[in-house]
Amino acid sequence: MKLLIDTHILVWIVLGDARLTAEQHNALANPDNDIVLSAVNAYELAHLQLLRRIPLDEPIDRLQELVGFELADLSASAWTKVKDLPDLHPDPLDRLLVAHALVSGMTLVSADQCIRQYPVVVI
């Protein structure tokens, strides 16, 4: 299974944060699953680091080494899909993340309750 992780999930993985649920931890630790970070979240991470809103200073390539995720670009179909999604989430980056998961058939890993309102599989 391909697991598309939200930005806060990446931060929690690196910090060993206890907010990761058992289901999330088990899915992320399963060697049969691939961990994927969307380019959208790579941008969000860099932005949050610049603003010093998260406790991570490592660049994306170092985080990729630590966690072992694949960095995935957004396809044109994701950009098209996002316009069809209902405006349930106030954050446009999270709507892009949902669209990315939907068009690529990935399972989202997120603690964001707004994301769970969309027709996407979320752990």
Side-chain angles (χ1 to χ4, degrees), residues 4 36-43 71-82 92-104 106:
L4 186 61
V36 180
L37 185 75
S38 175
V40 168
N41 296 94
Y43 162 75
L71 189 57
D73 285 331
L74 281 173
S75 65
S77 56
W79 290 105
T80 303
K81 180 69 174 174
V82 76
L93 294 181
D94 283 321
R95 287 196 302 275
L96 269 172
L97 182 64
V98 168
H100 194 166
L102 287 170
V103 301
S104 60
M106 289 190 271

Side-chain angles (χ1 to χ4, degrees), residues 2-21:
K2 285 193 174 251
L3 304 173
L4 186 61
I5 59 172
D6 207 340
T7 307
H8 63 274
I9 297 295
L10 174 59
V11 173
W12 292 357
I13 292 168
V14 174
L15 298 179
D17 197 296
R19 288 177 283 187
L20 276 175
T21 68

Side-chain angles (χ1 to χ4, degrees), residues 5-103:
I5 59 172
D6 207 340
T7 307
H8 63 274
I9 297 295
L10 174 59
V11 173
W12 292 357
I13 292 168
V14 174
L15 298 179
D17 197 296
R19 288 177 283 187
L20 276 175
T21 68
E23 182 183 17
Q24 290 167 338
H25 180 73
N26 290 339
L28 292 163
N30 184 335
D32 293 332
N33 293 337
D34 297 320
I35 301 172
V36 180
L37 185 75
S38 175
V40 168
N41 296 94
Y43 162 75
E44 182 177 42
L45 179 75
H47 182 70
L48 293 173
Q49 286 176 320
L50 182 67
L51 297 176
R52 304 214 181 274
R53 290 189 46 205
I54 57 172
L56 293 180
D57 293 328
E58 294 87 356
I60 194 72
D61 57 339
R62 177 65 182 131
L63 293 172
Q64 194 170 17
E65 290 172 13
L66 289 170
V67 176
F69 60 80
E70 169 192 340
L71 189 57
D73 285 331
L74 281 173
S75 65
S77 56
W79 290 105
T80 303
K81 180 69 174 174
V82 76
K83 73 174 181 53
D84 297 330
L85 293 175
D87 193 16
L88 302 173
H89 201 299
D91 186 340
L93 294 181
D94 283 321
R95 287 196 302 275
L96 269 172
L97 182 64
V98 168
H100 194 166
L102 287 170
V103 301

